[in-house]
Coordinates of all heavy atoms in Angstrom, one line a residue:
M13 N -55.9 -14.8 41.3 CA -55.9 -14.6 39.8 C -56.8 -13.5 39.4 O -57.9 -13.3 39.9 CB -56.4 -15.9 39.2 CG -56.5 -15.9 37.7 SD -57.0 -17.4 37.0 CE -55.4 -18.0 36.4
A14 N -56.3 -12.7 38.5 CA -57.1 -11.5 38.1 C -58.2 -11.9 37.1 O -58.0 -12.8 36.3 CB -56.1 -10.5 37.4
N15 N -59.3 -11.2 37.3 CA -60.4 -11.4 36.4 C -60.1 -10.6 35.1 O -59.4 -9.6 35.1 CB -61.7 -10.8 37.1 CG -62.9 -10.9 36.3 OD1 -63.0 -10.5 35.1 ND2 -64.0 -11.3 37.0
A16 N -60.7 -11.1 34.0 CA -60.5 -10.4 32.7 C -60.9 -9.0 32.7 O -60.5 -8.2 31.9 CB -61.1 -11.2 31.6
N17 N -61.8 -8.6 33.6 CA -62.4 -7.3 33.7 C -61.6 -6.4 34.7 O -62.0 -5.2 34.8 CB -63.9 -7.3 34.1 CG -64.7 -7.9 33.0 OD1 -64.5 -7.8 31.8 ND2 -65.7 -8.7 33.4
D18 N -60.7 -6.9 35.3 CA -59.9 -6.1 36.3 C -58.8 -5.3 35.5 O -58.2 -5.8 34.6 CB -59.1 -7.0 37.3 CG -60.1 -7.7 38.3 OD1 -61.3 -7.2 38.4 OD2 -59.7 -8.6 39.0
H19 N -58.7 -4.1 36.0 CA -57.7 -3.2 35.4 C -56.9 -2.5 36.5 O -57.5 -2.2 37.5 CB -58.3 -2.2 34.5 CG -59.1 -2.8 33.3 ND1 -58.5 -3.3 32.2 CD2 -60.4 -3.0 33.2 CE1 -59.4 -3.8 31.4 NE2 -60.6 -3.6 32.0
Q20 N -55.6 -2.3 36.2 CA -54.8 -1.6 37.2 C -54.0 -0.5 36.4 O -53.6 -0.8 35.3 CB -53.9 -2.5 38.0 CG -54.6 -3.4 38.9 CD -53.6 -4.2 39.8 OE1 -52.4 -4.0 39.7 NE2 -54.2 -5.2 40.5
Y21 N -53.8 0.6 37.0 CA -53.0 1.7 36.4 C -52.4 2.5 37.5 O -53.1 2.8 38.5 CB -53.9 2.5 35.5 CG -53.2 3.5 34.7 CD1 -52.5 3.2 33.5 CD2 -53.1 4.9 35.1 CE1 -51.8 4.1 32.8 CE2 -52.4 5.8 34.4 CZ -51.8 5.4 33.2 OH -51.1 6.3 32.5
A22 N -51.2 2.8 37.4 CA -50.5 3.6 38.5 C -50.1 4.9 37.9 O -49.6 5.0 36.8 CB -49.3 2.8 39.0
V23 N -50.2 6.0 38.8 CA -49.8 7.3 38.4 C -49.0 7.9 39.6 O -49.5 7.8 40.7 CB -51.0 8.2 38.0 CG1 -50.5 9.6 37.8 CG2 -51.7 7.7 36.9
D24 N -47.8 8.4 39.3 CA -47.1 9.1 40.4 C -47.5 10.6 40.3 O -47.5 11.2 39.3 CB -45.6 9.0 40.1 CG -45.0 7.6 40.4 OD1 -45.6 7.0 41.3 OD2 -44.1 7.2 39.7
V25 N -47.9 11.1 41.5 CA -48.4 12.5 41.6 C -47.4 13.2 42.4 O -47.1 12.8 43.6 CB -49.8 12.6 42.2 CG1 -50.2 14.0 42.4 CG2 -50.8 11.8 41.4
D26 N -46.8 14.3 41.9 CA -45.8 15.1 42.6 C -46.5 16.1 43.5 O -46.6 17.3 43.2 CB -44.9 15.8 41.6 CG -43.7 16.5 42.2 OD1 -43.4 16.2 43.4 OD2 -43.1 17.3 41.6
A27 N -47.1 15.6 44.6 CA -47.8 16.5 45.5 C -47.8 15.8 46.9 O -47.6 14.6 47.0 CB -49.3 16.7 45.1
P28 N -47.8 16.6 47.9 CA -47.9 16.0 49.3 C -49.1 15.1 49.4 O -50.2 15.4 48.8 CB -48.0 17.2 50.2 CG -47.4 18.3 49.4 CD -47.7 18.0 48.0
V29 N -49.0 14.0 50.2 CA -50.1 13.1 50.3 C -51.4 13.8 50.7 O -52.5 13.6 50.2 CB -49.8 12.0 51.3 CG1 -51.0 11.1 51.7 CG2 -48.7 11.1 50.8
R30 N -51.4 14.7 51.7 CA -52.5 15.5 52.2 C -53.2 16.2 51.1 O -54.4 16.2 50.9 CB -52.2 16.4 53.3 CG -53.3 17.2 53.9 CD -54.5 16.5 54.4 NE -54.3 15.5 55.3 CZ -55.2 14.6 55.6 NH1 -56.4 14.6 55.1 NH2 -55.0 13.6 56.5
V31 N -52.4 16.9 50.2 CA -53.0 17.7 49.1 C -53.7 16.8 48.1 O -54.8 17.0 47.7 CB -51.9 18.5 48.4 CG1 -52.4 19.1 47.1 CG2 -51.3 19.6 49.4
A32 N -53.0 15.7 47.7 CA -53.6 14.7 46.8 C -54.9 14.1 47.4 O -55.9 14.0 46.7 CB -52.6 13.6 46.5
Y33 N -54.9 13.7 48.7 CA -56.0 13.1 49.3 C -57.2 14.1 49.3 O -58.3 13.7 49.0 CB -55.7 12.6 50.7 CG -56.9 12.1 51.4 CD1 -57.3 10.7 51.2 CD2 -57.7 12.9 52.3 CE1 -58.4 10.2 51.9 CE2 -58.8 12.3 52.9 CZ -59.1 11.0 52.7 OH -60.2 10.5 53.3
N34 N -56.9 15.3 49.7 CA -58.0 16.3 49.8 C -58.6 16.6 48.4 O -59.8 16.7 48.3 CB -57.5 17.7 50.3 CG -57.2 17.6 51.8 OD1 -57.7 16.7 52.5 ND2 -56.5 18.6 52.3
Q35 N -57.8 16.6 47.4 CA -58.4 16.7 46.0 C -59.2 15.5 45.6 O -60.3 15.7 45.1 CB -57.3 17.0 45.0 CG -57.8 17.3 43.6 CD -58.7 18.5 43.6 OE1 -58.3 19.5 44.2 NE2 -59.8 18.5 42.9
W36 N -58.7 14.4 45.9 CA -59.4 13.1 45.5 C -60.7 13.0 46.2 O -61.6 12.3 45.7 CB -58.5 11.9 45.7 CG -59.1 10.6 45.2 CD1 -59.4 9.6 46.0 CD2 -59.5 10.3 43.9 NE1 -60.0 8.6 45.3 CE2 -60.0 9.0 44.0 CE3 -59.4 10.9 42.7 CZ2 -60.5 8.3 42.8 CZ3 -59.9 10.3 41.6 CH2 -60.4 9.0 41.7
T37 N -60.9 13.5 47.4 CA -62.1 13.3 48.1 C -63.1 14.5 47.9 O -64.1 14.6 48.6 CB -61.8 13.2 49.6 OG1 -61.0 14.4 50.1 CG2 -61.0 11.9 49.9
Q38 N -62.9 15.3 46.9 CA -63.8 16.3 46.5 C -64.8 15.7 45.5 O -64.8 16.0 44.3 CB -63.2 17.6 45.9 CG -62.2 18.3 46.8 CD -62.9 18.7 48.1 OE1 -63.9 19.4 48.0 NE2 -62.4 18.4 49.2
F39 N -65.6 14.8 46.0 CA -66.5 13.9 45.1 C -67.4 14.7 44.2 O -67.7 14.3 43.1 CB -67.2 12.9 46.0 CG -66.4 12.1 46.8 CD1 -66.3 12.3 48.2 CD2 -65.6 11.1 46.3 CE1 -65.5 11.5 49.0 CE2 -64.8 10.3 47.1 CZ -64.7 10.5 48.4
E40 N -67.9 15.8 44.7 CA -68.9 16.6 44.0 C -68.2 17.2 42.7 O -68.9 17.6 41.8 CB -69.5 17.7 44.8 CG -70.4 17.2 45.9 CD -69.7 16.8 47.2 OE1 -68.5 16.9 47.3 OE2 -70.4 16.4 48.2
D41 N -66.9 17.2 42.7 CA -66.2 17.7 41.5 C -66.0 16.6 40.4 O -65.6 17.0 39.3 CB -64.8 18.3 41.9 CG -64.9 19.6 42.6 OD1 -66.0 20.3 42.5 OD2 -63.9 20.0 43.2
F42 N -66.3 15.4 40.7 CA -66.0 14.3 39.8 C -66.7 14.5 38.4 O -66.1 14.2 37.4 CB -66.4 12.9 40.4 CG -65.4 12.4 41.4 CD1 -64.5 13.2 42.0 CD2 -65.4 11.1 41.7 CE1 -63.5 12.7 42.9 CE2 -64.4 10.5 42.5 CZ -63.5 11.4 43.2
P43 N -68.0 15.0 38.4 CA -68.6 15.2 37.1 C -67.8 16.1 36.1 O -68.0 16.1 34.9 CB -70.0 15.8 37.4 CG -70.3 15.3 38.8 CD -68.9 15.3 39.5
K44 N -67.0 17.0 36.7 CA -66.2 17.9 35.9 C -65.2 17.2 35.0 O -64.7 17.7 34.0 CB -65.5 19.0 36.8 CG -66.4 19.9 37.5 CD -65.6 20.8 38.4 CE -66.5 21.7 39.2 NZ -65.8 22.6 40.2
F45 N -64.7 16.0 35.5 CA -63.7 15.3 34.7 C -64.0 13.8 34.4 O -63.2 13.1 33.8 CB -62.3 15.4 35.4 CG -62.2 14.9 36.8 CD1 -61.9 13.5 36.9 CD2 -62.5 15.6 37.9 CE1 -61.8 13.0 38.2 CE2 -62.4 15.1 39.2 CZ -62.1 13.8 39.3
M46 N -65.2 13.4 34.8 CA -65.6 12.0 34.6 C -66.9 12.1 33.8 O -68.0 12.4 34.3 CB -65.8 11.2 35.9 CG -64.6 11.1 36.7 SD -64.8 10.2 38.3 CE -64.6 8.6 37.7
D47 N -66.8 11.8 32.4 CA -67.9 12.0 31.5 C -69.2 11.3 32.0 O -70.3 11.8 31.8 CB -67.6 11.7 30.1 CG -66.5 12.6 29.5 OD1 -66.4 13.8 30.0 OD2 -65.8 12.2 28.6
A48 N -69.1 10.1 32.4 CA -70.2 9.2 32.8 C -70.9 9.6 34.1 O -72.0 9.2 34.4 CB -69.8 7.8 32.8
V49 N -70.2 10.4 34.9 CA -70.8 10.8 36.2 C -71.6 12.1 36.1 O -71.1 13.1 35.7 CB -69.7 11.0 37.2 CG1 -70.3 11.4 38.6 CG2 -68.9 9.7 37.4
A50 N -72.9 12.0 36.3 CA -73.8 13.1 36.2 C -73.7 13.9 37.5 O -73.7 15.2 37.5 CB -75.2 12.7 35.9
S51 N -73.7 13.2 38.6 CA -73.7 13.9 39.9 C -73.2 13.0 41.0 O -73.4 11.8 40.9 CB -75.0 14.5 40.3 OG -75.9 13.5 40.6
V52 N -72.6 13.6 42.0 CA -72.2 12.9 43.2 C -72.6 13.8 44.4 O -72.2 14.9 44.4 CB -70.7 12.6 43.3 CG1 -70.4 11.8 44.6 CG2 -70.2 11.8 42.1
R53 N -73.4 13.2 45.4 CA -73.8 14.0 46.5 C -73.3 13.2 47.7 O -73.6 12.0 47.9 CB -75.3 14.1 46.6 CG -75.8 15.1 45.5 CD -77.4 15.2 45.6 NE -78.0 13.9 45.2 CZ -78.8 13.2 46.0 NH1 -79.1 13.6 47.2 NH2 -79.3 12.1 45.6
Q54 N -72.6 13.9 48.6 CA -72.2 13.3 49.9 C -73.3 13.6 50.9 O -73.6 14.7 51.2 CB -70.9 13.9 50.4 CG -70.3 13.2 51.6 CD -68.8 13.3 51.7 OE1 -68.1 14.0 51.0 NE2 -68.3 12.6 52.7
V55 N -73.9 12.5 51.4 CA -75.1 12.6 52.2 C -74.8 12.4 53.7 O -75.6 12.6 54.5 CB -76.3 11.7 51.7 CG1 -76.8 12.1 50.4 CG2 -75.8 10.2 51.7
A56 N -73.6 11.9 54.0 CA -73.1 11.7 55.3 C -71.6 11.6 55.2 O -71.0 11.6 54.1 CB -73.6 10.4 55.9
D57 N -70.9 11.6 56.4 CA -69.4 11.6 56.3 C -68.9 10.4 55.5 O -67.8 10.4 55.0 CB -68.9 11.5 57.8 CG -69.0 12.9 58.5 OD1 -69.2 13.9 57.8 OD2 -68.9 12.9 59.7
D58 N -69.7 9.3 55.6 CA -69.2 8.0 54.9 C -70.1 7.5 53.8 O -69.9 6.4 53.4 CB -69.0 6.9 56.0 CG -70.3 6.6 56.6 OD1 -71.3 7.3 56.5 OD2 -70.4 5.5 57.4
R59 N -71.0 8.4 53.3 CA -72.0 7.9 52.3 C -72.1 8.9 51.1 O -72.2 10.1 51.4 CB -73.3 7.6 52.9 CG -73.3 6.5 53.9 CD -74.7 6.0 54.3 NE -74.6 5.1 55.4 CZ -74.3 3.8 55.2 NH1 -74.1 3.3 54.0 NH2 -74.2 3.0 56.2
L60 N -72.1 8.3 49.9 CA -72.3 9.1 48.7 C -73.4 8.6 47.8 O -73.6 7.3 47.8 CB -71.0 9.1 47.9 CG -69.7 9.5 48.5 CD1 -68.5 9.1 47.8 CD2 -69.7 11.0 48.7
I61 N -74.1 9.4 47.2 CA -75.1 9.0 46.2 C -74.6 9.4 44.8 O -74.3 10.6 44.6 CB -76.5 9.7 46.4 CG1 -77.0 9.4 47.8 CG2 -77.5 9.3 45.3 CD1 -77.4 7.9 48.1
W62 N -74.4 8.5 43.9 CA -73.9 8.7 42.6 C -75.0 8.6 41.5 O -75.8 7.6 41.6 CB -72.9 7.7 42.2 CG -71.6 7.7 43.0 CD1 -71.5 7.4 44.4 CD2 -70.3 8.0 42.6 NE1 -70.2 7.5 44.8 CE2 -69.5 7.9 43.7 CE3 -69.8 8.5 41.4 CZ2 -68.1 8.2 43.6 CZ3 -68.4 8.7 41.3 CH2 -67.6 8.6 42.4
D63 N -75.1 9.5 40.6 CA -75.9 9.3 39.4 C -75.0 9.2 38.2 O -74.2 10.2 38.0 CB -76.9 10.5 39.3 CG -78.0 10.5 40.3 OD1 -78.7 9.5 40.4 OD2 -78.1 11.5 41.0
V64 N -75.1 8.1 37.5 CA -74.2 7.9 36.3 C -75.0 7.6 35.1 O -76.1 7.1 35.2 CB -73.2 6.8 36.6 CG1 -72.3 7.2 37.8 CG2 -73.8 5.5 36.8
D65 N -74.5 7.9 33.9 CA -75.1 7.6 32.6 C -74.0 7.0 31.7 O -73.1 7.8 31.3 CB -75.7 8.8 32.0 CG -76.5 8.5 30.7 OD1 -76.5 7.3 30.3 OD2 -77.0 9.5 30.1
F66 N -74.0 5.8 31.5 CA -72.9 5.1 30.8 C -73.6 4.3 29.6 O -74.4 3.4 29.8 CB -72.1 4.2 31.6 CG -70.9 3.7 31.0 CD1 -69.8 4.5 30.8 CD2 -70.8 2.4 30.5 CE1 -68.6 4.0 30.2 CE2 -69.7 1.9 29.9 CZ -68.6 2.7 29.7
G67 N -73.2 4.7 28.4 CA -73.8 4.0 27.2 C -75.3 4.1 27.1 O -75.9 3.2 26.7
G68 N -75.8 5.2 27.6 CA -77.3 5.5 27.5 C -78.1 4.8 28.6 O -79.3 4.9 28.7
V69 N -77.4 4.2 29.6 CA -78.0 3.6 30.7 C -77.7 4.4 32.0 O -76.6 4.7 32.3 CB -77.5 2.1 30.9 CG1 -78.1 1.5 32.2 CG2 -77.8 1.3 29.7
S70 N -78.8 4.9 32.6 CA -78.7 5.7 33.8 C -78.8 4.8 35.0 O -79.7 4.0 35.1 CB -79.7 6.8 33.8 OG -79.4 7.7 32.7
R71 N -78.0 5.1 36.0 CA -78.1 4.3 37.3 C -77.8 5.3 38.4 O -77.1 6.2 38.3 CB -77.1 3.2 37.4 CG -77.3 2.1 36.4 CD -78.4 1.2 36.8 NE -78.6 0.1 35.9 CZ -79.4 0.0 34.9 NH1 -80.3 1.0 34.7 NH2 -79.5 -1.1 34.2
R72 N -78.4 5.0 39.6 CA -78.2 5.7 40.8 C -77.7 4.6 41.8 O -78.3 3.6 41.9 CB -79.4 6.4 41.4 CG -79.2 7.0 42.8 CD -80.3 7.9 43.2 NE -80.3 9.1 42.5 CZ -81.2 10.0 42.5 NH1 -82.3 9.8 43.1 NH2 -81.0 11.2 41.8
F73 N -76.7 4.9 42.6 CA -76.2 4.0 43.6 C -75.6 4.7 44.7 O -75.2 5.9 44.6 CB -75.3 2.9 43.0 CG -74.0 3.5 42.3 CD1 -72.9 3.7 43.0 CD2 -74.1 3.7 41.0 CE1 -71.7 4.2 42.5 CE2 -72.9 4.3 40.4 CZ -71.8 4.5 41.1
E74 N -75.5 4.0 45.8 CA -74.9 4.6 47.1 C -73.6 3.8 47.4 O -73.5 2.6 47.2 CB -75.9 4.4 48.2 CG -75.4 5.0 49.5 CD -76.4 4.9 50.6 OE1 -77.6 5.0 50.4 OE2 -76.0 4.6 51.8
T75 N -72.6 4.6 47.8 CA -71.3 4.0 48.1 C -71.0 4.4 49.6 O -71.5 5.4 50.1 CB -70.2 4.5 47.2 OG1 -70.1 5.9 47.3 CG2 -70.4 4.0 45.8
L76 N -70.2 3.5 50.2 CA -69.8 3.6 51.6 C -68.3 3.8 51.6 O -67.6 3.0 51.0 CB -70.2 2.4 52.4 CG -69.7 2.4 53.8 CD1 -70.4 3.5 54.6 CD2 -70.1 1.0 54.4
I77 N -67.9 4.9 52.2 CA -66.4 5.1 52.4 C -66.0 4.4 53.6 O -66.5 4.6 54.7 CB -66.1 6.7 52.6 CG1 -66.6 7.4 51.3 CG2 -64.7 6.9 52.8 CD1 -66.6 8.9 51.5
T78 N -65.0 3.5 53.4 CA -64.5 2.7 54.6 C -63.0 3.1 54.9 O -62.3 3.7 54.0 CB -64.6 1.2 54.3 OG1 -63.8 1.0 53.1 CG2 -66.0 0.8 54.1

């Protein structure tokens, strides 16, 4: 059962999978098109440090690419 806070949205991209994947994994570019993202730094092949500011609240967190 979906949570009230869960959202899904699908977009068809007319590009080869490799091209789309390569663009999506340019994490350092995310602040260019995601307003709440101040910075993203890739610190290892599988780890990212995010700095975000949403609604006046700043947070830093680490994500793991699996």
